[in-house]
Amino acid sequence: MDTKLLANLLYPNAKDVNYWLEKYPKRELKRGAEVTRLAPSPTGYLHTGHAYSALINKLTARKTGGIFYLRLEDTDQKRLIDNAGDIAYNMLVSYDLSPDEGYRGDELPQVGNYGDYIQSKRLGIYQSFAKYLVEKGKAFPCFCKKTEGLEDVEERRQKQLEETGEIEEHDPCRNLTLDEIKEKLASGEEFALKLKSAGDPNKTIKIVDLIKGEREIRENAKDIVLMKSNGIPPYAFAHAVDDSLMGTTIVVRGEEWYPSLSAHLEVFKALGFKPPKYAHTPVICKLDENGNKRKLSKRKDPEADVRYFIEEGYPKIAVIEYLLNLLNSDFEIWRTNNPTLSYKEFPFSIEKIGSNNPMFDFVKLADISKNYISHLSADEVYRMLAEWANRYDVEFFKTLTENQDFSKAVLNIDRDTPKPRKDISKWSEVKHYYDYMFYGIKNYELDGIDKKKLKEVVRAYMEVYNAEDDKETWFARIKEMASTLGYATDNKAYKQSPENYKGNVADVCTYIRLALTGRKNSPDIYSIAKVLGAREIQRRFENVK
Ligand code: GLU
């Protein structure tokens, strides 16, 4: 068959590939520098899995002195969501994962010499490479209705391969003669372009995945779709062309792509491009109500959408550190040994990523976040909290900013100490956590509390309380009063014969705590009292008396 003629028939207007190869010369980078990219499809909001991949990409590029760029894979036009690309870019920026190059949202111009970075704007490029493959006899037009370039045909085949180990025969259209093709084109029939696979499914090829390690995979034998009948390439072809022209050296992507790897490698080979290194990341899972492992689902799990963490008020760095902890299990030890360093100093490595599915765990996220927040200064906490509240809780924002000094003093309670308290994990918790400071006491936690004793203690304490006391004196005064009222100040004695006492000093402190906060548990009561000030304390005591 005269493939050159066929190529001209199919793509009469496509430019020669050399035009693009000259336009996008090889990147000049120092040895070892890696070029990575995030290539989300704007068919949904940025998934937590994307943030996870972006972090790997960003850290790898930074560590090797390379480039991390953002490309929008918007070829699935039917499923596009308005602004999803813009949101994806802005999410990356807000998590300090900004790309060095590429698409930068709908407002800012793209940066870099390898654009356009939006696939739907690159159709001419794909056409050229499609034409090239036809010329080389490596691709053919397919006119079958059932394969009208639809990706789901591929999905069905892939499924079939996984389930039965068998692959459908090669596509019958690969045997059409030039005359038959001409006839179909003349009668206006649409075609999809397919790869004329040269693979043998009984053979295997060795690959090295940066996460999975060395593996043997079956050669591809499927005549996969390269261009749909609407002229748009599916992922397999588009990413092979783009990653080659854009000089990607490592493709980090979800492991759901791993089964199609051999097909992708064949596309690179047909194009004459060296494939990039691949790192297939295990998908983040969680345990469902029945204790079964399943993928994070955008439909069911709010934490699958990166915006959720911002809305809830988890500090961004805490989320990043949580993801790092999922990626490299030695991060936690490193963090303990280096409590004040930025996560950016952590010696991250793709090779250290485990191949098991990481489990999303809110308790762990909260722990990491509490630890992070506990090391912030009151000023920093105030700034981040106010920024969050300004967007998500306007009423609290007003309260918080009305009296900044008071707010900062509240946020400083148990903070400025060698062992700061670790109990705030997200900004949305603060209002409830300190409601007795900002809004007064709405109700008292009184179950199990002897109200008579509570009142007696509060009344007595009002008499001796002195706002000027330092912490030691304050506590000494409480002890003295406790003893006068018949409470044990010596724990041993109390344990031996509790019947001789009304309770112990801890009980007395609980009563004072209740009077000042309405709670049985709270941060350091001395600090709370200091922040409330003598008048307010008096008022709160009066309320109980
Ligand atoms: N558009 C694909 C996705 O969103 C990209 C996969 C890749 O990174 O290569 O899953």
Side-chain angles (χ1 to χ4, degrees), residues 37 39-41 50 73 235 251-253 257:
R37 89 297 191 268
S41 303
H50 283 123
E73 301 209 326
Y235 172 76
V251 167
V252 176
R253 62 183 184 185
W257 293 107

Side-chain angles (χ1 to χ4, degrees), residues 477-491:
R477 213 184 279 282
I478 291 180
K479 259 174 121 173
E480 198 188 315
M481 174 200 72
S483 169
T484 319
L485 291 177
Y487 287 82
T489 50
D490 174 346
N491 244 337

Side-chain angles (χ1 to χ4, degrees), residues 171-387:
D171 197 286
C173 287
R174 60 151 68 194
N175 301 321
L176 291 176
T177 64
L178 190 55
D179 285 340
E180 285 168 324
I181 294 173
K182 276 185 183 163
E183 205 177 294
K184 286 178 184 291
L185 289 175
S187 63
E189 277 190 51
E190 289 190 327
F191 69 91
L193 192 75
K194 289 193 165 176
L195 175 74
K196 193 179 271 180
S197 173
D200 176 348
N202 298 314
K203 287 194 186 146
T204 55
I205 40 176
K206 281 211 174 82
I207 58 115
V208 181
D209 181 280
L210 296 182
I211 295 174
K212 293 176 179 294
E214 267 184 47
R215 294 280 174 101
E216 275 196 22
I217 58 173
R218 221 198 272 247
E219 273 188 16
N220 172 60
K222 288 175 292 171
D223 294 341
I224 61 164
V225 177
L226 301 175
M227 294 283 262
K228 297 191 245 180
S229 55
N230 58 7
I232 293 179
Y235 172 76
F237 187 55
H239 104 279
V241 171
D242 292 346
D243 283 319
S244 302
L245 296 184
M246 295 178 179
T248 309
T249 61
I250 302 181
V251 167
V252 176
R253 62 183 184 185
E255 76 182 340
E256 66 274 18
W257 293 107
Y258 183 66
S260 347
L261 179 60
S262 67
H264 298 162
L265 292 176
E266 193 180 357
V267 176
F268 277 97
K269 196 166 161 197
L271 287 165
F273 288 133
K274 181 174 172 246
K277 291 171 268 186
Y278 281 94
H280 288 93
T281 54
V283 176
I284 305 178
C285 289
K286 73 182 287 184
L287 288 180
D288 68 13
E289 320 66 59
N290 308 320
N292 299 321
K293 205 164 151 178
R294 64 163 173 79
K295 281 193 211 167
L296 273 195
S297 133
K298 271 201 173 169
R299 224 164 13 89
K300 298 189 206 146
D301 310 313
E303 71 271 30
D305 184 335
V306 184
R307 288 177 305 176
Y308 167 79
F309 302 102
I310 293 184
E311 284 163 17
E312 284 290 298
Y314 288 99
K316 290 154 196 170
I317 292 190
V319 176
I320 292 291
E321 296 214 353
Y322 174 65
L323 293 178
L324 254 180
N325 170 73
L326 290 183
L327 284 169
N328 278 188
S329 56
D330 57 346
F331 176 74
E332 200 169 355
I333 298 174
W334 179 86
R335 175 45 81 220
T336 312
N337 294 335
N338 302 283
T340 53
L341 290 189
S342 155
Y343 74 85
K344 293 175 190 169
E345 315 268 333
F346 170 67
F348 168 80
S349 132
I350 291 195
E351 285 81 5
K352 281 192 290 181
I353 300 174
S355 51
N356 291 339
N357 299 97
M359 301 297 279
F360 196 92
D361 175 0
F362 270 113
V363 176
K364 186 81 198 166
L365 169 63
D367 274 355
I368 289 180
S369 196
K370 283 176 185 172
N371 189 41
Y372 170 74
I373 293 177
S374 75
H375 286 105
L376 300 175
S377 69
D379 278 345
E380 286 169 315
V381 171
Y382 175 80
R383 184 180 51 74
M384 293 187 197
L385 175 63
E387 191 181 284

